[in-house]
Amino acid sequence: MIPCSEVFVTPEEPNPEQKDPSLAQTGGGQPRLQKRLGRAQALGISSEMDTLYGRNKEEHPEPIKAEVQGQLPTWLRGILLRNGPGMHTIGDSKYNHWFDGLALLHSFTFKNGEVYYRSKYLRSDTYNCNIEANRIVVSEFGTMAYPDPCKNIFAKAFSYLSHTIPEFTDNCLINIMKAGDDFYATGETNFIRKINPQTLETLEKVDYNKYVAVNLATSHPHYDSAGNVLNMGTSIVDKGKTKYVLFKIPSSVPEKEKKKSCFKHLEVVCSIPSHSLLHPSYYHSFGLTENYIIFIEQPFRLDIVKMATAYIRGVNWASCLAYNKDDKTWFHFIDRKTKKEVSTKFYTDALVFFHHINAYEEDGHIIFDLIAYTDNSLYDMFYLKNLDKDFEENIKLTSIPTCKRFVVPLQYDKDAEVGSNLVRLASTATAVKEKDGTIYCQHETLGEGIELPRINYDYNGKKYKYVFATEVQWSPVPTKIAKLNTQTKEMIHWGQDHCWPSEPVFVPNPDAKEEDDGVVLTCVVKSDPKEAPFLLVLDAKTFTELGRATVNVEMHMDLHGMFIPEQVVKTETD
C-alpha cells in the first residue's frame, strides 16, 4: 500500500465497470490517460532531447505487426521484454529525474519470421495513485511528492512524520526478473510486480520485506544452474545493525505446497555488516562465480539520517547519496558452500560503479570485471532540466566509463613480503600485500566508453571472452553498440547517424558451439522523433545487420530487460 499520509488523496469509489482509473472515460469520449498524455505533450517541446526523454509515451497494449527488413534467423522465437520510464508528466506536475518516470513495459514477439510489438504501463499502486490524483503524489528517488497545500496543518504534520521511515515506491521501472515460473518488473526498492510477459498485464505486488528484512534490493539478480534466483538487499538499522543481505529464491517449491509462492521459501544465504551503521553503500549489482559471491562496498553511500529528514527539509532522497573520493572500496567474497566471508581484507581506490560484467575463478584467483567511474556525475546527467537542446554540447561526463578487471589472489603465500604483488596470472592487474595484512588491488583496463554490459549468460561465472554493451564515451547517451573481446581488448561497433540504441541483449543459437554464436537485439530510437524506431538484429559474431523490425510508434528509451525463449513462454502460460 502507498501510505495515505503521503499521497493525501481520497480515492473515489471505483466504477465497477471501469476498474482501471487511467482508462476512465472523460469528456469527448477519450480515455483519461490519453487525454493527459496529450495535455502533457502540449506543454511545449523545446528539443529532441525532451521529446525522447521527457515527453510522455503512449501505450500500445494490443500487438502491432512490425515491418521486417532483412532475414531473421528461423530459430529466433520468443519475447524480448524490456522496461524503462515512459511517463514524466502527470497533470501539471513533472518528475525531476528521468529515472523517476512511471514504468512502461514493451515487448517484441518473434514468431515464424514475423515480429509483433506492444507496450503497456505497469499498473503499480504508484501509477494508480498518481493517475487518480492527476498529479505526482508518490515520491521517487529524485522527486519528493508533497501533500495538497489545502489540507489542514495536522494532516501536514502527520505527513512529515510518516516520511521519517519512508515506504518506497512500487514503480518497478528498471528490469525484468524470472522467479519460479513467473516474471516480475523490478526496481531498487523492496517491491516487485508480477507481470504477464505475453499481455504485459500487471499482476500482484510482492514485498521482499515480508520474507527477508531488506529495505532496498538490486534490480540485477543472478540465476544459478538450478534456476534459483540469487539477489542482494540492504537492511537498514535492523536490530541495531545495517547490513547487506544475500538471499535465494527457489526455482520451485515442494509438490505438496504448489499453491504457495516461491517467496515463502526464500532463504537468507548470508549477511555482510556495513562498514558504517548510518552510511550503507549504494549498489546496483553484484558478482557471482562457481564458488563465490562478490560484493563491492563502494564509497558512494546513502546517509540514513539525511534520508529520514529529507521530506521535512524539502529535498529528494537522491541528495542523500554522497561520494567520498578519499575513501576505500572494499571487496567482499562469500564462499557459496560455507556461506562465510573470506577473512582477508581486499580493497582498491575509491570508485563508483553500477554494473558488474562477469566474474570467474582461475588458479586460486577471482577475476571480476565491471564498468567503473572516478566520480558520481552519471546520475546528475539525467535530471530532466539538463536534457535540453544543448545537452550533448554542454553536459559531459566528468569521468569516462571504464571496463576494469580486478585479479584477486584468494590463495597466496602468507609469508610473502610486504609490498610484493601476489597476482600469479598474466595480467597488469596487481594485488599488493600491505603491512597490516590487507591487500591493495589495482585494475587492468580492458576498454573505455561502454556501459549497460551484457554477456552470453551461459558463461556467467565462467571464463569468457565477449562483452556486448552500448558505447557512450563522454556523454551518457548511447550512440553505438559495441562488442569487446576481453582477451585481445579489440572492440567492434555497430552505429548509424541519429540512432540511439538501448542495452544489447545476447540470444544464443540453440545449436551454438561458440560463445558468440547467436544474435544481439537492441531497441533503436531515432534522435529525430519523426523517424520510426526499430528493433535491430545483429549477428553476434560479425556485428553485421541481419534484419530490423520497424514499428510506427513513439518508442521510449528503456533501461534493461530479457529475452524469453518461446518454449519457456509456452510452458509457463499454458
Side-chain angles (χ1 to χ4, degrees), residues 49 64 75 112 118 142 191 205 245 273 295 305 328 337 382 475 486 499 543-544 546 549 569:
M49 294 295 296
I64 299 172
W75 55 261
N112 300 325
R118 72 168 85 205
F191 296 114
K205 180 167 72 170
V245 181
F295 173 65
V305 174
K328 296 176 180 178
K337 294 184 179 69
F382 287 100
S475 165
T486 63
C499 286
F543 250 44
T544 55
L546 297 176
V569 179

Side-chain angles (χ1 to χ4, degrees), residues 3 5-6 139 144-146 156-168 215 236-237 278 302-313 315 317 320:
S5 57
E6 177 174 351
S139 298
M144 194 65 79
Y146 289 90
K156 288 183 185 178
F158 183 65
S159 177
Y160 284 122
L161 289 171
S162 74
H163 280 71
T164 304
I165 303 175
E167 179 165 338
F168 293 114
N215 308 95
I236 299 173
V237 198
L278 297 177
L302 182 63
D303 188 315
I304 301 303
V305 174
K306 285 186 176 180
M307 185 181 76
T309 59
Y311 190 78
I312 200 166
R313 290 185 296 115
V315 299
W317 289 319
C320 305

Side-chain angles (χ1 to χ4, degrees), residues 148-379:
D148 188 331
C150 297
K151 295 290 180 181
N152 67 57
I153 191 166
F154 299 106
K156 288 183 185 178
F158 183 65
S159 177
Y160 284 122
L161 289 171
S162 74
H163 280 71
T164 304
I165 303 175
E167 179 165 338
F168 293 114
T169 176
D170 69 335
N171 178 34
C172 304
L173 79 158
I174 297 178
N175 207 353
I176 305 295
M177 178 182 83
K178 182 178 185 294
D181 294 337
D182 301 317
F183 294 87
Y184 296 84
T186 68
E188 292 191 318
T189 73
N190 51 299
F191 296 114
I192 59 176
R193 294 296 307 227
K194 184 178 174 181
I195 57 174
N196 182 317
Q198 292 180 307
T199 65
L200 307 185
E201 178 188 3
T202 304
L203 304 171
E204 61 261 30
K205 180 167 72 170
V206 174
D207 181 356
Y208 278 140
N209 200 250
K210 290 183 178 179
Y211 309 101
V212 57
V214 296
N215 308 95
L216 305 165
T218 83
S219 56
H220 288 281
H222 280 289
Y223 307 89
D224 65 17
S225 57
N228 302 308
V229 178
L230 292 167
N231 206 0
M232 290 195 71
T234 300
S235 181
I236 299 173
V237 198
D238 177 50
K239 298 176 182 176
K241 297 179 180 179
T242 295
K243 55 193 174 184
Y244 313 105
V245 181
L246 177 74
F247 57 91
K248 181 173 76 173
I249 306 166
S251 59
S252 60
V253 298
E255 188 66 35
K256 62 182 180 180
E257 299 185 43
K258 276 295 182 185
K259 292 183 179 180
K260 290 188 178 180
S261 163
C262 60
F263 295 97
K264 292 185 181 297
H265 294 269
L266 183 150
E267 171 193 347
V268 173
V269 176
C270 67
S271 62
I272 303 166
S274 170
H275 265 79
S276 170
L277 174 68
L278 297 177
H279 299 84
S281 174
Y282 169 81
Y283 55 101
H284 185 70
S285 60
F286 63 101
L288 185 71
T289 70
E290 182 181 356
N291 296 297
Y292 294 93
I293 303 292
I294 303 166
F295 173 65
I296 311 300
E297 193 173 12
Q298 60 186 341
F300 187 33
R301 300 179 179 278
L302 182 63
D303 188 315
I304 301 303
V305 174
K306 285 186 176 180
M307 185 181 76
T309 59
Y311 190 78
I312 200 166
R313 290 185 296 115
V315 299
N316 61 30
W317 289 319
S319 69
C320 305
L321 275 170
Y323 173 59
N324 185 349
K325 63 181 178 59
D326 299 318
D327 205 348
K328 296 176 180 178
T329 299
W330 294 97
F331 300 161
H332 300 273
F333 303 100
I334 298 93
D335 188 309
R336 294 175 62 182
K337 294 184 179 69
T338 66
K339 303 180 182 180
K340 302 293 184 183
E341 183 176 354
V342 172
S343 59
T344 305
K345 301 300 180 185
F346 300 92
Y347 76 95
T348 190
D349 298 319
L351 56 76
V352 172
F353 84 101
F354 300 92
H355 296 113
H356 276 267
I357 302 172
N358 198 10
Y360 60 93
E361 301 163 39
E362 184 176 352
D363 191 22
H365 298 71
I366 288 181
I367 297 95
F368 66 90
D369 303 334
L370 47 79
I371 306 292
Y373 301 81
T374 57
D375 63 31
N376 61 322
S377 63
L378 179 66
Y379 184 85

